[in-house]
Amino acid sequence: MSHGPTLIRRAAMTNKRKTAGDRVLVLGAGYGGLMAALRAADQADVTVIDPAAHFSERVREHEVAAGRQDISHPLSSFLRKKRITHVAARVTDIDPVRKEVVTDDHRRHPYDLLVYALGSRTQTFGDGSTEDGRLFTSETARYLRKRLDDGPGTLTVVGGGATGVEMASELAESERAWKISMVTAGEVGPALSEKGRTHVRSTFRDLGISLEEGRPAAPEDLDTDVIVWTASLRANAEIAGSAGLALTVDGRIQVDAMLRSVSHPEIYVVGDAAAARTDAAGELRMACATALPLGSRAGRNIVAELRGQRPKPLSFRYYAQVMSLGRRNGLVQFVGADDKPKDLIVTGRKAALLKEQVVRSTVRSLRLAAR
């Protein structure tokens, strides 16, 4: 008898949650989207729309190209302990007036709050398309792996950022029969200190990677058997733009300090599609390192909003950049809060181990949120 009022109150709260406008829809199950869904599910019934049945560790795509068998985890292993439903479909349209999302199976999915987490893609060249059959990106790493197995030749990585450096190093270490080179419009490792760039250049020499800096290149300019294009990322924000969400000049979605669309505040944006910024860090770059905290903050803000509390602004600063240079070498570049490099680095085997622990910690943080 003494538990009666408590049970009645719990039942009332449960019924309230089902009718108080808490249909949360998350578009995309990458680092940011999955984290946002797991956090929001502490208060709401969440639906995640993503065509894949697995969460893929995008930061390991260069390892797939070098022969790693799997970098994916069943999506169900993260969702089964939460009130989250997975819809295996691709988003084709958003109707912010009706608050509905349309998927490629012609279904309509209503929402009260939406999380846009459709990420980014490698922009290959010009309009983003090419008919050059030699061209691969980190997203097509499995196809690149098959091409490498067909026989040795010459391979050129275009782009000297972290993605390109990791790809070139990994392939040069694992594919000794291939002649690996890199072409970049600027300096290799533009976000690194001079010490960091010196270590990358030294590693390239040790691995036999030919490096040409200060050379803008198009696929048709390159006399090589295989091209791996890593020169730039583009936000997958076209669907948002078509729905009327405000975009930045470079095609990311404009958000406020709470990560809500400035034009449609019922839509949160996380990951690479969000033009998020903080006073300490400035505008955040596209990276797993930023996607996870954005996802966590958006998910927590949704919980706060549904509980009648005030959402909190994103708080974020940078500490270090980490990259692998093959399996036995790496680079940890310490940076200021605004991501500007300091004159302090860690290299070699120790840095490789630190990079591996950072990568593993991303999955651990998701599994922790899932519990």
Side-chain angles (χ1 to χ4, degrees), residues 151-198:
T154 57
L155 181 149
T156 302
V157 176
V158 179
T163 302
V165 168
E166 290 192 320
M167 181 67 76
S169 302
E170 199 82 30
L171 294 180
E173 182 182 83
S174 63
E175 308 299 319
R176 293 295 186 178
W178 281 80
K179 185 177 180 181
I180 311 294
S181 63
M182 172 180 282
V183 174
T184 179
E187 289 186 297
V188 68
L192 301 175
S193 64
E194 192 54 45
K195 277 187 178 180
R197 278 191 290 274
T198 297

Side-chain angles (χ1 to χ4, degrees), residues 170-300:
E170 199 82 30
L171 294 180
E173 182 182 83
S174 63
E175 308 299 319
R176 293 295 186 178
W178 281 80
K179 185 177 180 181
I180 311 294
S181 63
M182 172 180 282
V183 174
T184 179
E187 289 186 297
V188 68
L192 301 175
S193 64
E194 192 54 45
K195 277 187 178 180
R197 278 191 290 274
T198 297
H199 181 66
V200 170
R201 290 173 181 139
S202 174
T203 299
F204 276 22
R205 286 194 295 270
D206 292 343
L207 291 171
I209 301 171
S210 173
L211 173 62
E212 189 172 358
E213 299 177 87
R215 180 193 168 188
E220 58 268 24
D221 300 330
L222 301 171
D223 182 16
T224 184
D225 297 316
V226 173
I227 301 169
V228 183
W229 198 272
T230 68
S232 63
L233 287 174
R234 182 174 182 81
N236 292 323
E238 290 83 358
I239 293 174
S242 296
L245 274 69
L247 304 182
T248 61
V249 174
D250 62 352
R252 301 172 83 182
I253 303 171
Q254 295 183 41
V255 296
D256 63 15
M258 271 62 70
L259 303 179
R260 300 172 299 201
S261 163
V262 297
S263 57
H264 296 75
E266 73 281 2
I267 299 178
Y268 285 83
V269 190
V270 303
D272 291 353
R277 62 175 296 112
T278 65
D279 291 339
E283 185 168 322
L284 274 56
R285 57 182 164 87
M286 299 182 186
C288 166
T290 55
L292 282 170
L294 262 64
S296 183
R297 173 43 53 202
R300 292 179 186 276

Side-chain angles (χ1 to χ4, degrees), residues 101-171:
V101 167
V102 183
T103 49
D104 57 358
D105 54 5
H106 306 296
R107 295 172 62 192
R108 290 183 171 270
H109 307 269
Y111 65 86
D112 296 296
L113 294 173
L114 179 69
V115 180
Y116 192 104
L118 295 181
S120 64
R121 65 187 183 278
T122 301
Q123 183 169 337
T124 50
F125 186 72
D127 63 357
S129 64
T130 180
E131 295 181 0
D132 194 326
R134 303 173 297 161
L135 189 65
F136 298 85
T137 66
S138 58
E139 294 96 328
T140 59
R142 295 192 184 280
Y143 297 103
L144 173 59
R145 177 66 255 161
K146 293 178 181 178
R147 174 62 184 89
L148 295 174
D149 288 338
D150 287 341
T154 57
L155 181 149
T156 302
V157 176
V158 179
T163 302
V165 168
E166 290 192 320
M167 181 67 76
S169 302
E170 199 82 30
L171 294 180

